[in-house]
Amino acid sequence: MEQKEELGLTVKKSEDFNEWYNQVVLKADMIDYSLVSGCIVFKPNSYAIWEKIQKAFDDKIKKSGHKNCYFPMFIPESLLKKEAEHIEGFSPEVAWVTKAGDTELSERLAIRPTSETIMYESYAKWIRSWRDLPLLLNQWNSVVRWEFKHAKPFLRTREFLWQEGHTVHATREDAEKEVMQQLFEYVDLIENYMAIPVIAGKKTEKEKFAGADYTTTVEAFMPDGKALQMGTSHLLGQNFAKVFNIKFLDKDEKEKYAWQTSWGLSTRTIGAIVMVHGDDKGLIIPPRLAPVQIVVVPILFKENKEVIIEKAKEIAKKLKSKNYNVEFDDRDGYTPGWKFNEWELKGVPLRIEIGPKDVEAEQLVLVRRDTNEKIVIKAKDLEKKTEQMLNDIQDSLLKKAKEYLTKSIVEVHNFNDFIDAIKNKKMPKALFCGSAECETSIKDKAEGATCRCVPFEQKPAKGHCVQCNAEAKYWAVFGRGY
Ligand code: 87F
């Protein structure tokens, strides 16, 4: 009992969400804080999730012809500032190397906050003809943005891990196709692996990346009423090509500026998984991303100890051979109940128990992490039933999150209802004129709410802007953001 109180969560998700989140990421042993404020250690329990995300996404982009590469993390100041417009607003967050030992560098070096400039400098040298296109490169790396807002594990840290894709095409149409293809790879990754439903759409002029013609996004909704951008994909148009001189000789013998895209998804998505699925007992990791998918716990008494351990080991071995990530927990000195609590805290989706009675009856007990439901199965049905149950868990996590997202988007027709929706931790969906001024005044009046996106799925936008009454351009979703 005493052990449990120390190790388990001491607050409920519904009572103090912030404290709950901080406790989960620490007590599930996902992270540690570090000596540099705003930086965290990714411990094996979280890094293994990132590795599974990487594997899933890497397989996808390789299938569509993308290749990985690695560019230096140091960007000369002159290069970073070459495209002045895109860096504007971001400048205060750039970290610089100015010295080597005691020697001042002749030019300071930025630690990459994103790799557009350093990559496109090379692209200009590499691309000569239409035969060199498309160029489809991706990097898995970390970036540094020296934020001064309060840090939050995974969601806002000064260094984070991500992938950044940077592609070059001969035509605007090809680049636009790429933007959408990658955005919908994110949708698939986030919905079908992370089990988090998203709204896909376009950012407004105010919220788009300054270096882009337009920005697309996938937005998720957290249980504390805040929206979280899960991934983004930009049509860069010819903006960078003109600054970095990325030109190619086309089939018609004419020299043209190339068309570009960039897209990124980061370790902040791990924070979303924690927030969306976790409960009062701790983490719940969707089976497809769980570092440990199944834990086998033998229930031991003095008698028959060896037989039970043998049987449990056999089960673990069988499941491992089917490529599941399995933990066999035969640790001495811990009660089964204590072990259950620990694996629940760490979010293992499925637990298999086997005790003396089960051995005798040739049966096993399966316990689902998400619903706590217990079923007794015949030992011979092990593989079929585990597969079924893991699939069920994956599906019902998404289903539950979908229900929450659906009821959190509320259509509003006047500004009072808009404000109420924000107050009630919902995302108002409203007719909007799309102007930056209007968005600013919404932000001022509605607790800092911004336009999360203009969903691709639109119904006719007949009527007036919820804020200024001018003719509306589209339906847009608003919300407070992380
Ligand atoms: C911070 C400091 C300097 C974001 C920054 O979204 C520059 C930047 O350019 C900056 N923070 N950005 C925009 C990043 C755009 C784009 N890059 C590739 C992405 C996805 C991946």
Side-chain angles (χ1 to χ4, degrees), residues 9 11-21 223-224 275 278-281 425:
L9 305 179
V11 290
K12 287 198 155 71
K13 192 179 182 184
S14 59
E15 282 168 3
D16 186 346
F17 184 76
N18 269 320
E19 174 62 17
W20 171 86
Y21 180 79
D224 60 348
M275 289 183 169
D279 67 9
D280 292 342
K281 292 199 264 182
K425 300 191 185 304

Side-chain angles (χ1 to χ4, degrees), residues 86-87 90 113-114 116 145 162 166 209 232 234 262-264:
H86 98 276
I87 196 80
F90 294 131
T114 182
E116 274 81 356
R145 297 176 184 174
W162 74 348
H166 294 265
F209 171 37
T232 182
H234 311 284
S262 76
W263 25 276

Side-chain angles (χ1 to χ4, degrees), residues 163-176:
Q163 60 67 221
E164 46 177 324
H166 294 265
T167 69
V168 191
H169 308 262
T171 65
R172 184 182 168 100
E173 294 77 75
D174 287 355
E176 291 203 276

Side-chain angles (χ1 to χ4, degrees), residues 112-115 141-145 158-162 164:
R112 69 171 161 246
T114 182
S115 299
N141 59 23
S142 76
V143 285
V144 170
R145 297 176 184 174
R158 286 175 168 171
E159 182 187 9
F160 57 85
L161 310 178
W162 74 348
E164 46 177 324

Side-chain angles (χ1 to χ4, degrees), residues 61 64-67 123 126-138 166-179 181-182 246 248-251 258-261 263:
I61 62 176
S64 48
H66 300 78
K67 288 184 176 155
Y123 282 12
W126 299 345
I127 293 167
R128 289 281 168 260
S129 125
W130 61 270
R131 292 176 199 85
D132 302 324
L133 301 176
L135 179 61
L136 308 173
L137 296 187
N138 179 68
H166 294 265
T167 69
V168 191
H169 308 262
T171 65
R172 184 182 168 100
E173 294 77 75
D174 287 355
E176 291 203 276
K177 253 189 229 154
E178 172 80 10
V179 168
Q181 183 192 311
Q182 295 312 316
I246 308 175
F248 69 102
L249 202 58
D250 206 351
K251 286 179 187 162
W259 296 87
Q260 294 183 268
T261 83
W263 25 276

Side-chain angles (χ1 to χ4, degrees), residues 372-440:
N372 221 18
E373 187 194 340
K374 235 180 206 205
I375 62 166
V376 180
I377 63 156
K378 294 198 185 93
K380 68 172 175 54
D381 293 338
L382 173 68
E383 283 154 46
K384 191 176 77 196
K385 294 285 182 186
T386 42
E387 187 188 346
Q388 232 173 49
M389 197 167 251
L390 287 171
N391 284 338
D392 270 3
I393 297 168
Q394 184 79 37
D395 292 346
S396 67
L397 286 176
L398 177 63
K399 187 162 168 262
K400 197 172 156 207
K402 251 188 188 150
E403 282 162 11
Y404 178 70
L405 175 66
T406 306
K407 75 169 192 218
S408 298
I409 305 170
V410 293
E411 206 174 292
V412 299
H413 300 273
N414 60 64
F415 203 64
N416 276 340
D417 291 351
F418 186 106
I419 301 272
D420 277 350
I422 294 289
K423 258 195 203 122
N424 294 328
K425 300 191 185 304
K426 309 263 175 184
M427 284 192 291
K429 186 173 185 174
L431 286 170
F432 185 44
C433 69
S435 85
E437 298 80 61
C438 227
E439 212 174 320
T440 305

Side-chain angles (χ1 to χ4, degrees), residues 249-267:
L249 202 58
D250 206 351
K251 286 179 187 162
D252 60 10
E253 302 284 317
K254 284 187 185 140
E255 194 168 62
K256 294 173 187 169
Y257 285 115
W259 296 87
Q260 294 183 268
T261 83
S262 76
W263 25 276
L265 176 137
S266 78
T267 41

